[in-house]
Amino acid sequence: QSFKLLGFLDVKNVPCARESVLYGSLGSLVVGLGHFLATSRVRRSCDFAVGGFICTMLGYWIYCRYNLAQQRIRQRMLKEGMRNRVLFEGSYLDPEKKQTGNERSNS
């Protein structure tokens, strides 16, 4: 069963959403507790905790989505390279085929 955050963000099906929420909650705990230990001001520490949650969640979201996009680009390039290898294997366009002197004179 899926969990929707704020009514629209499906944490189960959206890539990077689960990790972002988990890291955001950890960041909120660290920032809020750290501010409370430094100043002993409860309300201000809660404000810092909310800000820490938002900053950590958005920061990890951007980092994760960037890495996911890079991975998809690499997968697309690899898939295209494999398709080209299958298409050109054994033909004169094959980059791995070594031409001998006799073959060069014939073509």
Side-chain angles (χ1 to χ4, degrees):
Q1 122 184 359
S2 66
F3 172 71
K4 291 194 177 204
L5 185 67
L6 301 174
F8 65 90
L9 181 63
D10 191 6
V11 176
K12 183 179 179 183
N13 295 327
V14 176
C16 301
R18 179 179 178 269
E19 292 85 5
S20 296
V21 171
L22 289 175
Y23 281 118
S25 61
L26 181 65
S28 132
L29 179 71
V30 168
V31 170
L33 189 62
H35 190 269
F36 177 74
L37 291 175
T39 63
S40 297
R41 296 173 67 188
V42 176
R43 184 176 173 95
R44 188 79 168 165
S45 297
C46 290
D47 293 342
F48 269 82
V50 170
F53 174 77
I54 292 170
C55 290
T56 307
M57 187 177 85
L58 286 178
Y60 188 77
W61 174 271
I62 291 168
Y63 170 76
C64 184
R65 294 297 287 202
Y66 176 77
N67 284 339
L68 186 66
Q70 292 293 321
Q71 182 182 10
R72 286 182 179 167
I73 289 170
R74 285 192 300 268
Q75 285 177 343
R76 193 178 320 125
M77 288 172 52
L78 184 62
K79 185 185 281 187
E80 184 179 330
M82 289 171 59
R83 186 179 63 228
N84 287 342
R85 180 178 171 107
V86 169
L87 286 175
F88 298 134
E89 192 171 25
S91 70
Y92 70 94
L93 295 173
D94 189 3
E96 292 184 9
K97 184 178 177 183
K98 294 183 179 181
Q99 295 182 348
T100 61
N102 190 16
E103 290 177 357
R104 286 187 199 141
S105 63
N106 289 340
S107 51

PDB file of all heavy atoms in Angstrom, residues 20-32 52-53 56:
ATOM      1  N   SER A  20      14.574  10.837   0.279  1.00  0.00           N
ATOM      2  CA  SER A  20      14.572  12.272   0.586  1.00  0.00           C
ATOM      3  C   SER A  20      13.832  12.560   1.879  1.00  0.00           C
ATOM      4  O   SER A  20      14.294  13.355   2.697  1.00  0.00           O
ATOM      5  CB  SER A  20      13.929  13.055  -0.559  1.00  0.00           C
ATOM      6  OG  SER A  20      14.676  12.937  -1.723  1.00  0.00           O
ATOM      7  N   VAL A  21      12.691  11.924   2.089  1.00  0.00           N
ATOM      8  CA  VAL A  21      11.925  12.131   3.309  1.00  0.00           C
ATOM      9  C   VAL A  21      12.696  11.598   4.515  1.00  0.00           C
ATOM     10  O   VAL A  21      12.744  12.244   5.570  1.00  0.00           O
ATOM     11  CB  VAL A  21      10.533  11.476   3.197  1.00  0.00           C
ATOM     12  CG1 VAL A  21       9.807  11.488   4.531  1.00  0.00           C
ATOM     13  CG2 VAL A  21       9.706  12.182   2.143  1.00  0.00           C
ATOM     14  N   LEU A  22      13.335  10.432   4.361  1.00  0.00           N
ATOM     15  CA  LEU A  22      14.092   9.864   5.477  1.00  0.00           C
ATOM     16  C   LEU A  22      15.291  10.740   5.841  1.00  0.00           C
ATOM     17  O   LEU A  22      15.533  11.016   7.027  1.00  0.00           O
ATOM     18  CB  LEU A  22      14.546   8.451   5.136  1.00  0.00           C
ATOM     19  CG  LEU A  22      13.447   7.398   5.090  1.00  0.00           C
ATOM     20  CD1 LEU A  22      14.002   6.057   4.625  1.00  0.00           C
ATOM     21  CD2 LEU A  22      12.786   7.253   6.437  1.00  0.00           C
ATOM     22  N   TYR A  23      16.059  11.174   4.835  1.00  0.00           N
ATOM     23  CA  TYR A  23      17.199  12.044   5.116  1.00  0.00           C
ATOM     24  C   TYR A  23      16.735  13.402   5.641  1.00  0.00           C
ATOM     25  O   TYR A  23      17.408  14.012   6.475  1.00  0.00           O
ATOM     26  CB  TYR A  23      18.079  12.213   3.879  1.00  0.00           C
ATOM     27  CG  TYR A  23      18.989  11.039   3.639  1.00  0.00           C
ATOM     28  CD1 TYR A  23      18.883  10.288   2.474  1.00  0.00           C
ATOM     29  CD2 TYR A  23      19.959  10.685   4.562  1.00  0.00           C
ATOM     30  CE1 TYR A  23      19.714   9.206   2.248  1.00  0.00           C
ATOM     31  CE2 TYR A  23      20.794   9.613   4.344  1.00  0.00           C
ATOM     32  CZ  TYR A  23      20.670   8.863   3.188  1.00  0.00           C
ATOM     33  OH  TYR A  23      21.495   7.796   2.968  1.00  0.00           O
ATOM     34  N   GLY A  24      15.604  13.884   5.163  1.00  0.00           N
ATOM     35  CA  GLY A  24      15.064  15.149   5.654  1.00  0.00           C
ATOM     36  C   GLY A  24      14.685  15.066   7.127  1.00  0.00           C
ATOM     37  O   GLY A  24      14.952  15.993   7.900  1.00  0.00           O
ATOM     38  N   SER A  25      14.079  13.958   7.520  1.00  0.00           N
ATOM     39  CA  SER A  25      13.712  13.811   8.929  1.00  0.00           C
ATOM     40  C   SER A  25      14.945  13.678   9.811  1.00  0.00           C
ATOM     41  O   SER A  25      14.991  14.228  10.915  1.00  0.00           O
ATOM     42  CB  SER A  25      12.768  12.619   9.123  1.00  0.00           C
ATOM     43  OG  SER A  25      13.418  11.431   8.717  1.00  0.00           O
ATOM     44  N   LEU A  26      15.969  12.999   9.319  1.00  0.00           N
ATOM     45  CA  LEU A  26      17.214  12.906  10.074  1.00  0.00           C
ATOM     46  C   LEU A  26      17.885  14.277  10.187  1.00  0.00           C
ATOM     47  O   LEU A  26      18.372  14.651  11.257  1.00  0.00           O
ATOM     48  CB  LEU A  26      18.159  11.900   9.408  1.00  0.00           C
ATOM     49  CG  LEU A  26      19.497  11.683  10.102  1.00  0.00           C
ATOM     50  CD1 LEU A  26      19.282  11.056  11.463  1.00  0.00           C
ATOM     51  CD2 LEU A  26      20.385  10.813   9.243  1.00  0.00           C
ATOM     52  N   GLY A  27      17.886  15.032   9.099  1.00  0.00           N
ATOM     53  CA  GLY A  27      18.444  16.384   9.125  1.00  0.00           C
ATOM     54  C   GLY A  27      17.684  17.290  10.061  1.00  0.00           C
ATOM     55  O   GLY A  27      18.267  18.118  10.765  1.00  0.00           O
ATOM     56  N   SER A  28      16.376  17.141  10.086  1.00  0.00           N
ATOM     57  CA  SER A  28      15.553  17.945  10.991  1.00  0.00           C
ATOM     58  C   SER A  28      15.884  17.635  12.441  1.00  0.00           C
ATOM     59  O   SER A  28      16.012  18.542  13.262  1.00  0.00           O
ATOM     60  CB  SER A  28      14.093  17.663  10.676  1.00  0.00           C
ATOM     61  OG  SER A  28      13.342  17.403  11.796  1.00  0.00           O
ATOM     62  N   LEU A  29      16.068  16.364  12.750  1.00  0.00           N
ATOM     63  CA  LEU A  29      16.407  15.972  14.116  1.00  0.00           C
ATOM     64  C   LEU A  29      17.770  16.535  14.522  1.00  0.00           C
ATOM     65  O   LEU A  29      17.917  17.093  15.613  1.00  0.00           O
ATOM     66  CB  LEU A  29      16.408  14.444  14.232  1.00  0.00           C
ATOM     67  CG  LEU A  29      16.757  13.874  15.597  1.00  0.00           C
ATOM     68  CD1 LEU A  29      15.623  14.138  16.572  1.00  0.00           C
ATOM     69  CD2 LEU A  29      17.040  12.397  15.489  1.00  0.00           C
ATOM     70  N   VAL A  30      18.736  16.422  13.640  1.00  0.00           N
ATOM     71  CA  VAL A  30      20.094  16.897  13.952  1.00  0.00           C
ATOM     72  C   VAL A  30      20.113  18.415  14.128  1.00  0.00           C
ATOM     73  O   VAL A  30      20.673  18.935  15.103  1.00  0.00           O
ATOM     74  CB  VAL A  30      21.083  16.455  12.850  1.00  0.00           C
ATOM     75  CG1 VAL A  30      22.409  17.163  12.979  1.00  0.00           C
ATOM     76  CG2 VAL A  30      21.271  14.950  12.888  1.00  0.00           C
ATOM     77  N   VAL A  31      19.493  19.142  13.193  1.00  0.00           N
ATOM     78  CA  VAL A  31      19.515  20.608  13.266  1.00  0.00           C
ATOM     79  C   VAL A  31      18.722  21.112  14.467  1.00  0.00           C
ATOM     80  O   VAL A  31      19.192  21.983  15.215  1.00  0.00           O
ATOM     81  CB  VAL A  31      18.982  21.222  11.953  1.00  0.00           C
ATOM     82  CG1 VAL A  31      18.762  22.710  12.093  1.00  0.00           C
ATOM     83  CG2 VAL A  31      19.936  20.931  10.812  1.00  0.00           C
ATOM     84  N   GLY A  32      17.528  20.562  14.686  1.00  0.00           N
ATOM     85  CA  GLY A  32      16.702  21.010  15.810  1.00  0.00           C
ATOM     86  C   GLY A  32      17.336  20.694  17.152  1.00  0.00           C
ATOM     87  O   GLY A  32      17.373  21.551  18.049  1.00  0.00           O
ATOM     88  N   GLY A  52      15.566  22.762   8.647  1.00  0.00           N
ATOM     89  CA  GLY A  52      16.526  21.699   8.365  1.00  0.00           C
ATOM     90  C   GLY A  52      15.905  20.572   7.571  1.00  0.00           C
ATOM     91  O   GLY A  52      16.544  19.996   6.680  1.00  0.00           O
ATOM     92  N   PHE A  53      14.643  20.238   7.881  1.00  0.00           N
ATOM     93  CA  PHE A  53      13.936  19.205   7.124  1.00  0.00           C
ATOM     94  C   PHE A  53      13.793  19.609   5.664  1.00  0.00           C
ATOM     95  O   PHE A  53      14.098  18.838   4.758  1.00  0.00           O
ATOM     96  CB  PHE A  53      12.556  18.945   7.731  1.00  0.00           C
ATOM     97  CG  PHE A  53      11.715  18.007   6.939  1.00  0.00           C
ATOM     98  CD1 PHE A  53      11.945  16.646   6.987  1.00  0.00           C
ATOM     99  CD2 PHE A  53      10.701  18.476   6.123  1.00  0.00           C
ATOM    100  CE1 PHE A  53      11.173  15.760   6.245  1.00  0.00           C
ATOM    101  CE2 PHE A  53       9.926  17.612   5.378  1.00  0.00           C
ATOM    102  CZ  PHE A  53      10.163  16.244   5.438  1.00  0.00           C
ATOM    103  N   THR A  56      17.342  19.809   3.895  1.00  0.00           N
ATOM    104  CA  THR A  56      17.941  18.484   3.701  1.00  0.00           C
ATOM    105  C   THR A  56      17.155  17.685   2.674  1.00  0.00           C
ATOM    106  O   THR A  56      17.737  17.030   1.808  1.00  0.00           O
ATOM    107  CB  THR A  56      17.991  17.724   5.035  1.00  0.00           C
ATOM    108  OG1 THR A  56      18.624  18.530   6.014  1.00  0.00           O
ATOM    109  CG2 THR A  56      18.746  16.420   4.882  1.00  0.00           C
TER     110      THR A  56
END
